[in-house]
Amino acid sequence: MTTGTDTSGAVPVEYRFRAGEGDVGHLIVVFSGFAAPNGYHFAGKSLNGLRANVLWIRDDFDGHYSYYMCRSMNFDIEASVLRLIENTMGQLGLGRDQVSLLGVSKGGSAALYFGLKHGFRNIVTVVPQFLVGSYVRDRAETGRYMLGPDMPPMHVDLLDGAIPELLKRYGAQGHNVYLFTSEADEQYETEISPHLQLFWACENFNLIRTNSQLVRQHGEVSGYNLPLVLGVLSALSDGAVPRLGFVENGQARVDPVQRQQYLAGLRASDALTAVLNKQDIRGNNLLLSGHAFIPGESPHGEFPSVKSLVIEGGGRHWEFPLATTEAKHTYSLYFDRFARDYTDGGFEPEAKTGIPMAGMPGGVFELSVRVASPAEGIDRRTKLVARRPFDIRRPFGGLEISLIGDEQRVRLVRRPVIGHFSQETAFSLEKSWLKDRTLHVEGVFFVHGIEAAAHGHANYYLVLRGAQATYSFRLGMSRKPLAVRPHLRRGDFGTYDFAYFATSGYKGVALTNAHPGDYEVYVSMSTGGSLFTASAGAVTLP
């Protein structure tokens, strides 16, 4: 994937591009919606299975959204975006029939607008806004940018008619339009329903309307329909044009008796859910938040629950109270035959500073969560698991504190920050200085046989050990193959290019609060299950 800025038009346009695979002669252009991650929708793994060329275009002009159309009613943004698309088509040798436009919400409006106005045949649009002027007028920052500072009604009307007038004029003739929507979308009655009749002249107009327990608002339509969207795009990329007609997908009809019986049975089982969503280590405290609740539903109504974090290992056991927090979208995240809201299903530490581990010894500990509903006589505990794998390691005084989790478990590891002195270690202190209680170190550190081929291959720490206290600090790493190469053994074909440590920004670490005295200096490298250490001399702090 390449990232760039196209400057061939009047306005610079930021984009990403991924070349297609094999002989697929097709281009998918992706327009983003509001609050897209880093300005790009569908830029993660979602489109990886498609073989077509993909062009993502960022809607960021002067720090504002524009619907890829205009600023103060000057449509130079539209012209510049169109030029980028046409330049990309020219490089690929493609015509407008070999292009599919994709967008969600704001991006869905852009897909419709560019497709209808500029003759791109395939349009895949999810929950678009048709009345763009009125919509941005109610989002004042975007409205002032697009409509002008005073947002005059005439300008609102012009943008409101931009898409509907194109449809009234041509009825989307010659286009393949796939419109994904849902009556659960709060914008459906104003944006979608009044305009469906305008597609009457489109021979291949396809309406996919979702009616599901898992779709309750505007932002959930695209995620629910992603497999079908990808199927349509895959077919279009290979020159096969789907004709779906009117499709209503999802299963919204629920038998209330069956639902009550099933959820009551689930409540009476020994089920308990505990999933970690966010995690960090600050000093000697754990910051953990996620979802923890008793699945199912009591036939007698809602009851408050009590939650706590349990840390155990080495025959010892600690329990810390957790605060209950609001949880969103649990009905889709934890769907189990019937949708169920667990609005109070979240948890976080009672204190903003986190969960204190003062007095906890070194060792390896397992984390679990306990949830009790005293009114129901329920008290259960289950292993804490992570929504996504993570590995966080931090130095704290004489300790390295690690928090490691995946879909199976979450572990806490506390061990001395000064580790193993190995004969397999390659270590060289290239530069160091101490100025006004600011200490800088940088150099080479790797272990033969443990590759350092990428940033983040390990964690490096600076450690000062004195008679009264031990201090430790995180170090950064950088790619310096020329510095590393002299330390390679003959016959070692490993890659250690990122095995260069240094203080952040090469500016040193402040030792303002350290006790005066003599200190032994070490550098430690933590990777996998091992912690390696090398001596880096000594310093005296006045």
Side-chain angles (χ1 to χ4, degrees), residues 193-499:
S193 181
H195 301 101
L196 293 179
Q197 61 180 336
L198 300 178
F199 291 93
W200 65 267
C202 181
E203 182 183 349
N204 190 25
F205 172 60
N206 304 274
L207 178 68
I208 299 90
R209 191 166 64 189
T210 299
N211 189 8
S212 168
Q213 301 176 68
L214 304 184
V215 175
R216 302 186 180 184
Q217 55 186 326
H218 179 78
E220 295 176 337
V221 178
S222 61
Y224 186 89
N225 285 289
L226 182 59
L228 188 51
V229 169
L230 295 177
V232 169
L233 290 170
S234 181
L236 292 171
S237 299
D238 281 329
V241 179
R243 294 181 178 270
L244 305 178
F246 174 70
V247 175
E248 187 163 281
N249 60 347
Q251 294 181 345
R253 296 183 182 87
V254 173
D255 185 319
V257 175
Q258 288 185 357
R259 180 185 184 277
Q260 182 182 28
Q261 290 176 345
Y262 182 82
L263 292 178
L266 190 59
R267 191 77 166 190
S269 70
D270 60 356
L272 183 63
T273 297
V275 180
L276 188 60
N277 294 332
K278 294 182 180 179
Q279 57 282 324
D280 200 0
I281 302 169
R282 292 184 187 173
N284 198 26
N285 292 358
L286 295 179
L287 275 74
L288 308 174
S289 62
H291 296 143
F293 55 85
I294 304 166
E297 187 174 85
S298 169
H300 306 293
E302 296 287 339
F303 297 98
S305 60
V306 181
K307 305 174 186 180
S308 58
L309 175 72
V310 178
I311 301 178
E312 58 188 344
R316 301 189 64 181
H317 174 110
W318 294 263
E319 189 162 351
F320 305 91
L322 294 170
T324 294
T325 60
E326 180 185 5
K328 297 180 179 180
H329 309 296
T330 51
Y331 56 85
S332 58
L333 289 171
Y334 304 101
F335 180 77
D336 187 351
R337 188 174 172 186
F338 297 98
R340 163 81 163 94
D341 281 313
Y342 299 96
T343 53
D344 295 329
F347 72 83
E348 65 182 14
E350 287 195 325
K352 291 184 178 180
T353 53
I355 297 168
M357 294 178 286
M360 190 176 296
V364 180
F365 306 93
E366 299 284 340
L367 274 60
S368 59
V369 171
R370 181 182 179 186
V371 181
S373 176
E376 299 175 82
I378 296 175
D379 190 340
R380 300 173 188 166
R381 184 155 68 98
T382 189
K383 289 193 302 182
L384 182 62
V385 299
R387 186 166 300 282
R388 301 175 191 84
F390 65 86
D391 186 334
I392 301 173
R393 306 182 186 206
R394 300 284 188 267
F396 177 76
L399 292 173
E400 180 198 43
I401 304 174
S402 303
L403 192 64
I404 304 167
D406 55 28
E407 295 179 351
Q408 303 298 319
R409 61 180 180 173
V410 177
R411 290 183 299 153
L412 171 68
V413 182
R414 295 168 61 86
R415 61 183 175 181
V417 73
I418 297 177
H420 179 55
F421 293 83
S422 172
Q423 294 182 346
E424 299 299 311
T425 294
F427 178 81
S428 172
L429 187 63
E430 300 289 312
K431 185 184 294 185
S432 66
W433 47 259
L434 177 63
K435 299 177 184 177
D436 299 325
R437 277 191 161 238
T438 297
L439 176 63
H440 169 69
V441 295
E442 63 178 276
V444 175
F445 191 171
F446 65 89
V447 178
H448 291 282
I450 300 177
E451 293 211 350
H455 193 275
H457 68 93
N459 289 270
Y460 291 100
Y461 311 127
L462 170 65
V463 185
L464 279 73
R465 184 170 68 182
Q468 290 183 289
T470 298
Y471 304 96
S472 53
F473 309 88
R474 296 171 66 185
L475 294 172
M477 70 182 72
S478 57
R479 183 179 183 272
K480 289 198 173 183
L482 294 180
V484 172
R485 195 167 298 148
H487 303 280
L488 295 178
R489 288 177 177 173
R490 181 177 297 178
D492 187 342
F493 297 103
T495 302
Y496 306 97
D497 291 357
F498 284 85

Side-chain angles (χ1 to χ4, degrees), residues 56-129:
W56 292 267
I57 306 178
R58 191 177 188 188
D59 186 17
D60 185 348
F61 301 93
D62 307 312
H64 294 278
Y65 297 120
S66 71
Y67 273 75
Y68 302 88
M69 295 171 71
C70 61
R71 49 184 178 179
S72 294
M73 299 305 287
N74 182 332
F75 287 79
D76 54 356
I77 290 176
E78 175 189 341
S80 299
V81 170
L82 179 61
R83 183 182 290 264
L84 168 61
I85 297 172
E86 291 179 333
N87 287 344
T88 306
M89 291 166 52
Q91 294 169 8
L92 298 171
L94 302 177
R96 277 168 161 70
D97 288 352
Q98 297 165 292
V99 176
S100 295
L101 307 185
L102 167 66
V104 174
S105 191
K106 171 173 67 68
S109 302
L112 273 173
Y113 180 72
F114 276 82
L116 296 171
K117 185 174 181 179
H118 299 293
F120 296 102
R121 188 176 185 190
N122 305 313
I123 302 168
V124 182
T125 177
V126 186
V127 291
Q129 290 91 40

